[in-house]
Amino acid sequence: MILFLLPIPLASAMKDEGFSPLQMEALKGAKYVGSESCGACHEKEVKEFQTSTHARVSVPGEGMQIQDCEMCHGPAGLHMDAGGGKGNILNPTKDVETCFQCHTDKKMEFSQPFHHPVLEGKMNCTSCHSAHGTDVRAWSATTLKGVNETCFDCHKEQRGPFVFEHEAVREGCMTCHQVHGSMHSKMLVARDNNLCLRCHTQMNFPVIGKQSHAGRLPQATCFTAGCHTAVHGSNFDDHLRY
Ligand code: HEC
Ligand code: HEC
Ligand code: HEC
Ligand code: HEC
Ligand code: HEC
Ligand code: HEC
Ligand code: HEC
């Protein structure tokens, strides 16, 4: 069990972090009761959750350790008294503040000038992460294929298949994109040629491939119109120019 120290107690975090009044009201007076009995009615979630990263986390609160389900769903006392039901326990489907309680740095990332519209409520953490599953990241540590599949759910154009693939994409979208948010447009890791030169620097630089790029590099980025705009792959040109 990892002991994870919250900067602020859960209850006041809920207030400060803007849980809706409805949710606060719903939970007023509710007590933490532990998660042992959830499985009787939520077998699927409990089973999935056993091997999750979050199953190893716990936070201190009100004279006890808060862990497992109640970490995200809040005190389950009222829910248990009522024998289940809706509206008497937090359902974070639409409220990502649940996650920010502990992942405070992520709120900053989503506040960057270019970001996925999570704070705007157009998508949420579970668009890409699994709430209960083993892999909170919806892909495994050994293959990045899974992460690209997550992205293709919404970004079909980048999926291909392309006649001329760009091998970089196989290494994962995060090779070039900061997916929570970035200070560069299109959430790029870098906005200039360094984005590409990390991989495309040769001994005889400024030759790249078989062409000297001496005159070209100072003029524009590698992916400017007229150059290699088809960074994700091309059906027309093996140099990814369009
Ligand atoms: C890391 C935070 C987190 C933990 C821990 C967690 N959940 Fe959830 N739970 C969520 C989120 C987020 C959703 C909303 C799912 C979505 O948006 O797809 C959810 C949804 C649910 C739902 C509603 C499903 C539906 O179809 O509406 C149930 C029931 C549930 N969780 C039960 C549990 C149980 C039981 C546990 C403990 C074994 C648990 N959860 C632990 C984050 C969590
Ligand atoms: C006696 C059965 C029972 C037990 C025990 C139980 N639940 Fe539920 N739970 C339900 C029912 C029934 C619903 C409503 C499902 C629906 O209408 O789709 C529900 C709904 C939920 C929801 C979604 C609420 C919403 O407003 O959308 C969450 C989250 C949840 N349960 C978590 C838990 C957690 C965590 C525990 C353990 C602390 C737990 N439940 C214990 C029966 C139970
Ligand atoms: C009570 C605190 C807490 C809450 C609430 C919480 N997390 Fe976490 N989360 C953690 C801790 C601690 C880790 C482990 C960090 C580590 O091992 O480096 C973690 C790890 C993760 C990871 C990385 C998993 C991995 O296998 O590397 C992701 C992704 C994640 N959380 C997403 C979420 C999302 C999405 C939510 C809301 C649905 C959420 N967390 C809610 C504390 C929390
Ligand atoms: C558009 C998809 C997407 C959304 C939405 C998203 N994430 Fe992530 N998240 C990722 C990817 C991809 C990674 C892996 C980054 C890497 O390995 O470089 C990641 C990594 C993480 C990690 C572990 C690594 C780290 O940076 O600490 C945490 C924790 C995390 N996300 C939390 C969250 C939370 C909390 C939310 C919602 C507020 C969220 N994510 C929303 C795609 C997403
Ligand atoms: C649930 C749907 C969804 C998923 C999954 C998703 N995205 Fe997005 N993505 C969006 C939305 C919505 C926008 C914002 C589009 C806008 O503002 O016009 C966006 C914007 C972007 C942009 C910036 C586009 C632009 O024109 O500025 C990039 C790059 C991006 N996503 C990459 C990714 C990557 C990489 C992943 C996988 C880790 C991913 N997305 C997963 C929905 C999604
Ligand atoms: C080799 C670096 C690289 C990789 C890997 C990469 N991208 Fe991109 N992506 C870019 C660049 C550069 C742009 C911006 C192009 C521009 O500004 O005209 C971009 C733009 C985008 C956009 C905005 C729409 C567009 O085409 O301009 C989306 C969406 C996107 N990428 C999604 C993805 C997804 C999903 C993946 C993984 C399958 C991915 N990218 C992998 C470099 C990359
Ligand atoms: C993660 C490493 C990596 C990154 C980052 C990367 N590439 Fe690549 N790229 C490759 C690999 C590997 C190949 C295939 C082998 C080769 O031709 O060098 C390739 C091939 C290419 C090709 C086709 C080669 C040819 O014969 O014309 C072009 C064009 C290209 N990349 C442009 C870019 C551009 C533009 C960027 C920046 C947006 C970029 N690459 C970023 C790894 C990368």
Side-chain angles (χ1 to χ4, degrees), residues 64-192:
M64 65 180 286
Q65 286 300 124
I66 298 164
Q67 59 197 50
D68 299 330
C69 321
E70 290 184 312
M71 228 168 57
C72 291
H73 291 295
L78 295 177
H79 188 68
M80 292 298 284
D81 289 348
K86 295 205 162 198
N88 51 17
I89 190 164
L90 294 183
N91 184 340
T93 311
K94 289 226 152 56
D95 203 340
V96 293
E97 295 298 343
T98 304
C99 312
F100 291 144
Q101 289 176 112
C102 299
H103 298 288
T104 42
D105 57 324
K106 295 292 168 281
K107 191 163 192 170
M108 311 268 290
E109 293 179 18
F110 283 102
S111 307
Q112 295 273 345
F114 303 92
H115 54 264
H116 270 109
V118 165
L119 297 177
E120 290 81 353
K122 290 188 187 152
M123 56 195 287
N124 57 39
C125 311
T126 45
S127 306
C128 298
H129 295 291
S130 139
H132 309 115
T134 304
D135 292 312
V136 184
R137 314 180 190 214
W139 53 97
S140 76
T142 49
T143 165
L144 284 167
K145 195 163 164 276
V147 70
N148 287 8
E149 287 302 319
T150 304
C151 313
F152 295 151
D153 275 353
C154 301
H155 299 291
K156 308 236 186 285
E157 268 178 44
Q158 282 74 25
R159 178 193 280 273
F162 298 107
V163 177
F164 304 103
E165 286 185 13
H166 188 192
E167 271 184 52
V169 176
R170 267 187 239 154
E171 297 191 25
C173 311
M174 293 97 77
T175 314
C176 297
H177 295 287
Q178 241 165 342
V179 295
H180 292 153
S182 155
M183 54 192 290
H184 308 296
S185 101
K186 315 282 180 187
M187 288 183 266
L188 290 171
V189 173
R191 187 56 210 170
D192 53 21

Side-chain angles (χ1 to χ4, degrees), residues 165-169 171 175-176 192-200 202 209 222-223 228-229 231 237-241:
E165 286 185 13
H166 188 192
E167 271 184 52
V169 176
E171 297 191 25
T175 314
C176 297
D192 53 21
N193 290 335
N194 289 325
L195 182 69
C196 316
L197 292 177
R198 283 177 301 155
C199 296
H200 290 287
Q202 306 171 186
C222 314
F223 45 93
H228 309 285
T229 35
V231 284
D237 182 77
D238 59 350
H239 302 309
L240 311 179
R241 277 180 303 215

